[in-house]
Amino acid sequence: MTVRVERDGASGVAVVTLDREHRHNAIDLATAGALAAAWQGFRHDDDVRAVVLTGAGTAAFCTGVDRDVSVAQPASPYSVDDPLIAVGPKANDLWKPVVAAVNGMACGGAFYLLGECEFIVASSSATFFDPHTTYGMVSAYEAVYMAQRMPFGEVARMSLMGTAERLSARRAYETGLVSELVEPGELVAAALRSARTLAGFPTAAVQGTVRALWSAKQAALRQALDQAPALIALGNLPPADQAALFTGRRAAPEPRVR
């Protein structure tokens, strides 16, 4: 089991945990399928009125796609077989509120998930970064999602600086990416506190508000995401060259945390 789902019928809250701690909660094909199934299941479960999304352990919330996953990309620059394209709640038409609880690293493909949560609670030990450019890859979907949540200069710096820098939890809070900052041991409790409040309100009003919030930006988001496949196909290094850069990552200097 790569995704753990726990329901609390009394409060109306479900906790979804990425449960691959040994892989820093990276997403393989089984995990991607389990996430999509969980979001779709919540759509029809009236006992779940709000969700907390987190990662197992303290080292990482999620480090994106598992590098051991091999996905053959089509030759056309107009389509991409992206294993993460449908891992988020909105991609699965779920409009119940989702609160992310981030501990440790959140990087790369983790932004597919964070980009579709209503708000983010983070522990003081959390860090955020986007490794794509370091490994010869275009940050397209990730950059677009974060551009919806952060000032342009901040998301541009994070997307372009790759593994050379990490955004601290404090800086993420200052820029608005994170809405609440807590000590590591208080993380899930803080996220649950917000989720239980949301689950206690009339559900139709909450879901309608979620949908209204997303409608305010979804047209621009959709247009931007539609450009991603061509940009990835044009800008990515061949997979073997990406793998060589990734293999050599341990020789790189320690990233700067700002």
Side-chain angles (χ1 to χ4, degrees), residues 178-215:
V178 169
S179 67
E180 184 178 0
L181 198 58
V182 298
E183 292 304 309
E186 301 170 5
L187 177 64
V188 174
L192 282 170
R193 183 168 58 245
S194 293
R196 286 169 180 154
T197 297
L198 295 170
F201 293 157
T203 187
V206 171
Q207 289 190 55
T209 301
V210 169
R211 193 66 185 86
L213 286 165
W214 281 86
S215 68

Side-chain angles (χ1 to χ4, degrees), residues 163-164 252-256:
T163 60
E254 284 295 314
R256 174 176 179 259

